[in-house]
Amino acid sequence: MRFVRTIAGMVLLALGIPALLAGGGLWLAARHAGPDGGFDARFEPVRTHACAVLVTDVDALLRADLPLARTGQARLHLTARDDDDPVFLGLAPTEQVRGWLADVPHSTVRRVAVTRGPLPVDLDPATAGTGAAVPMTQPFWVREGVGSLEWSPAELSGRSLSLVVMRVDGADGLDLRMRAELRAGWFPGLAWALLAGGTLLVILAVVVLLRPLRPREVVFVVEPDQVPVLAGRLGVTALSGLGRQPGPASRPERHLVAVGSGPGGRTRAAIAPPSRCPDGRD
């Protein structure tokens, strides 16, 4: 029984401590959310002489750099401007975007590092090409917008979609100022649930591990003719004496014996009657 309780307590601790740590981390992150519960971040300036900035696979980029955006009903909101003018942002199937931009100079985003402060964006060198493209006339956009774009990554997860950022007229030379906001309404609730659940699991683990065991009660079931044998094995005269506290040992009976001999060889008792005083008084 003690072994089972030890294993159960260790399992509860193994579940409760990670839940507490995860809940504490989410709670600290939730303190940096905006008034509407969203997390806002600014990108470092993105400069290229190409006509477009391309994210080849948006879902893969989020999976690697921001997996939280792909959970639940989280929504991602992007805003972009070039020299204070809004630019075009669109999501479209990767194969169609690749064919459309085959002859158009474009720079591909290699990685976006999620850090404190402005988020750095790593760009590959711009591709060569002399073609031109106007994004507003293309029919393959799944989501599109001018100046801003919002979508739920969970709704489009598993699809190979590319993000294209470029001028509305398709001209080359981009100096982008971009911001991103992630809104996840379940974020604070998950943090408190992990904290409460982790605390409960740790308390249960402590109770299971530290609660003292009750002494066992032994019940003998024997045949009637085996009662004397069992009593002898247990060192009692009868089974009714089990559990009885031993009393003080009885003292042996003491006898008075002679301690010496008196005058004339007479034996003097150990305790003699009192003798009379010479003056006759008792």
Side-chain angles (χ1 to χ4, degrees):
M1 183 64 181
R2 182 182 296 275
F3 175 76
V4 175
R5 289 179 56 178
T6 302
I7 295 298
M10 297 303 296
V11 170
L12 290 173
L13 281 179
L15 295 175
I17 292 177
L20 274 177
L21 294 177
L26 292 179
W27 179 75
L28 290 176
R31 297 179 60 187
H32 298 281
D36 58 350
F39 298 90
D40 185 74
R42 177 171 56 90
F43 294 90
E44 290 183 351
V46 177
R47 298 182 178 91
T48 178
H49 64 272
C51 298
V53 172
L54 173 67
V55 178
T56 305
D57 192 335
V58 176
D59 189 59
L61 180 68
L62 293 177
R63 187 186 306 113
D65 297 326
L66 192 60
L68 184 65
R70 303 175 65 252
T71 59
Q73 298 300 316
R75 301 193 66 82
L76 191 61
H77 183 81
L78 292 179
T79 58
R81 303 184 71 85
D82 177 72
D83 293 335
D84 295 330
D85 295 327
V87 296
F88 174 86
L89 300 97
L91 288 171
T94 301
E95 293 298 327
Q96 296 185 10
V97 171
R98 182 181 292 114
W100 178 56
L101 295 178
D103 296 329
V104 177
H106 61 276
S107 295
T108 302
V109 175
R110 183 188 307 112
R111 184 173 181 269
V112 178
V114 180
T115 61
R116 299 186 63 179
L119 307 184
V121 180
D122 296 333
L123 288 179
D124 287 333
T127 61
T130 57
V134 178
M136 302 294 292
T137 60
Q138 304 304 318
F140 48 68
W141 302 113
V142 177
R143 299 283 192 279
E144 60 180 301
V146 176
S148 66
L149 179 65
E150 182 173 338
W151 78 97
S152 175
E155 296 176 358
L156 303 177
S157 63
R159 300 178 59 180
S160 182
L161 298 176
S162 296
L163 173 66
V164 178
V165 183
M166 58 191 309
R167 292 178 182 270
V168 176
D169 56 2
D172 58 355
L174 291 171
D175 187 3
L176 297 175
R177 302 293 187 273
M178 302 179 64
R179 299 188 71 89
E181 182 184 17
L182 176 64
R183 291 194 293 270
W186 48 265
F187 196 86
L190 178 61
W192 286 112
L194 287 173
L195 286 174
T199 302
L200 179 60
L201 290 174
V202 171
I203 292 176
L204 288 177
V206 173
V207 171
V208 170
L209 292 174
L210 300 183
R211 182 181 178 184
L213 293 174
R214 295 194 307 173
R216 295 182 178 181
E217 296 181 356
V218 180
V219 178
F220 296 97
V221 180
V222 296
E223 296 294 336
D225 58 347
Q226 297 295 321
V227 172
V229 178
L230 179 61
R233 294 288 181 86
L234 297 178
V236 297
T237 58
L239 293 183
S240 60
L242 289 176
R244 181 179 301 171
Q245 296 293 331
S250 60
R251 297 180 179 179
E253 183 180 359
R254 302 181 65 181
H255 299 280
L256 298 178
V257 296
V259 297
S261 58
R266 291 180 300 174
T267 301
R268 184 167 57 89
I271 301 177
S275 59
R276 293 181 177 273
C277 297
D279 57 359
R281 291 178 301 174
D282 292 338

